[in-house]
Amino acid sequence: MKINFTNKSPKKGAVCVAIFDDNKFSDAANALDSDSGGSIRKALETSRFSGKAGQVIQILAPMGVDADRIIVAGVGKQDNDMALAWESYGAAVIKELLTSGLETITFSVGDLEGIYSARIAFGALLAAYRFDNHRTKLSADKKPSVDFVCIDGSQKKTGEVEFSSLNELAEGVYLARDLVSEPGNIINPESFAKCIQGLSDTGLEIEVLDEKDMRKLGMDSLLSVGAGSNYGSKLAIMKWMGGKAGDAPVVLVGKGVTFDSGGISLKPGNGMWDMKGDMGGAAAVTGAMRAIAGRKAKANVIGIVGLVENMPDAAATRPGDIIKSADGQTIEVQNTDAEGRLVLVDAIWYGITSFKPCRIIDLATLTGAILVALGQENAGLFSNDDRLASDLTVAGKISGEEVWRLPLGSGYDKLIDTPNADMKNIGGPFAGSITAAQFLKRFVGDVPWAHIDIAGTAWKDKRADPRESVWATGFGVRLLDRFIAESHES
Ligand code: BES
Ligand code: ZN
Ligand code: ZN
């Protein structure tokens, strides 16, 4: 879908105008209403449209209007910061019309500020995402028709400038959604690493460690997870040093289990297919690094993803096995399905020892328990640093990818003690997301650290928001990009 900022409205397709809550007309809506002989007000008289966010109605354009259709869409309440409202507005319109047969949609925005018209375009892009890669029999009427979106307004220049960064962000979100959506026979540790290598075009410096490299470094915790797989485990490192030379970087770590069968502690068959998305943390980190490099962020950021496949096999790790992590601590693997933490701790160790970060943040589809606690609305946030937790919470609110902090504490920490080793990889029946976070905490020392459990937000069976797609959401890309922009760029 091509996006174009213009101040000369094209004469075909649909023209879309915004109305706020309680049918408060935007200037563009007023202008189009009078150009069309009052057709918008007339149409509203016989409809339940009230300007609420998400409402969209279509009117056949009367003679004299330079378009085939008029679209009227709600923005909701007028507030101080309207960025997310305009984003949702753009998304709702595209969601409604993507496969309608219309090819061109022009958002008529009048004098709307450039930051907001760019948001409309960004929302439109987010809503236009589809995962049709493997559908060979999709009929013509089910395919997207909209291929051209114009933003028509006086602030064309600032709109274009603002959109250039958001366009990079949308690329990052698309990349993360593609990676999460692709099944385990297509995205495996080796192909994921290759895909990351392809990102060097964006200016990212890429390094990939293979099993031999990791064995030398003693990363047996990560390696134990991939022991039953036919694919070689990888650790991929993406470097973006756009900030001041010598400033300690932020390290982002992602869980990249390209398929989680549970290993010898095999998962039940029903729903196991969803575990192709168990690399959602790695996808978010990769997408965020893509966006950060694409918009040439003035910050030092390093993305590290641990890429493994968790399979049962004669060579697979057994329940009861004791392994040693790269930092020397020993782990009794009581359940091979609690594998994400085993991958993360070695990747975190690598991040801390190699890059001496000012802050380290990991993202992972780590526990089913986070769905019980927070559902699919908020990701779970755990941190040893109040300032970092607050920065991430703020970035969540601004980006629309929200996080909710849960506690850590020594009482929870005791639940992962075992007489057989320094710790075990499962807690017990209670507080499963917290005991998983306590496990990670044992590996971060005094580095300010946050863990974001995205098991509830990385994918959704139903499309809950017009900016999201049907399954993979790309959760974390917008959050991380905003966090870097707000807290680590001057
Ligand atoms: N990948 C799963 C967590 C998960 C569950 C992600 C549902 C997305 C949706 C993780 O590796 C896992 O299996 N965790 C276990 C931990 C348990 C064995 C302590 C879980 O949550 O059941
Ligand atoms: Zn698992
Ligand atoms: Zn998992």
Side-chain angles (χ1 to χ4, degrees), residues 255 260 267 275 278 335 337 339 365-368 426 455 459:
K255 167 181 171 181
D260 181 12
K267 284 183 182 295
M275 287 300 134
D278 205 23
N335 189 321
D337 195 14
E339 83 299 339
T365 49
L366 203 61
T367 65
I426 51 173
W459 63 81

Side-chain angles (χ1 to χ4, degrees), residues 35-170:
D35 287 354
S36 64
S39 69
I40 297 180
R41 285 200 158 78
K42 214 172 294 158
L44 293 194
E45 274 167 24
T46 53
S47 107
R48 290 183 169 174
F49 185 93
S50 64
K52 278 202 183 60
Q55 291 181 329
V56 180
I57 58 168
Q58 303 187 41
I59 306 168
L60 209 58
M63 301 288 277
V65 173
D66 278 337
D68 307 322
R69 256 186 257 182
I70 293 174
I71 314 292
V72 179
V75 203
K77 270 202 194 64
Q78 270 182 309
D79 220 330
N80 287 338
D81 185 3
M82 293 294 286
L84 288 183
W86 286 113
E87 197 177 290
S88 295
Y89 162 80
V93 170
I94 295 302
K95 180 190 160 221
E96 191 76 17
L97 299 173
L98 191 64
T99 57
S100 64
L102 280 168
E103 290 168 10
T104 301
I105 296 178
T106 299
F107 288 91
S108 177
V109 298
D111 296 327
L112 187 69
E113 292 100 305
I115 43 163
Y116 292 146
S117 47
R119 282 286 169 163
I120 297 176
F122 180 56
L125 275 182
L126 292 179
Y129 176 84
R130 314 238 317 179
F131 182 67
D132 291 337
N133 294 2
H134 305 290
R135 301 192 64 169
T136 64
K137 294 186 165 64
L138 198 62
S139 59
D141 63 333
K142 298 242 163 54
K143 288 186 181 158
S145 57
V146 178
D147 57 8
F148 196 45
V149 168
C150 287
I151 315 288
D152 177 23
S154 62
Q155 306 299 306
K156 162 179 148 65
K157 275 262 132 25
T158 49
E160 269 167 357
V161 171
E162 294 290 340
F163 179 66
S164 66
S165 304
L166 289 172
N167 195 25
E168 298 298 330
L169 181 54

Side-chain angles (χ1 to χ4, degrees), residues 255 257 259-262 265 267 271 274-275 277-279 310 334-341 364-371 376 425-428 432-433 435-436 453-459:
K255 167 181 171 181
V257 178
F259 185 72
D260 181 12
S261 67
S265 315
K267 284 183 182 295
D274 276 350
M275 287 300 134
D278 205 23
M279 27 55 69
N310 187 21
Q334 288 196 344
N335 189 321
T336 63
D337 195 14
E339 83 299 339
R341 63 201 78 184
T365 49
L366 203 61
T367 65
I370 205 70
L371 274 143
Q376 299 198 289
N425 75 330
I426 51 173
S433 305
T435 49
D453 193 335
I454 60 169
T457 51
W459 63 81

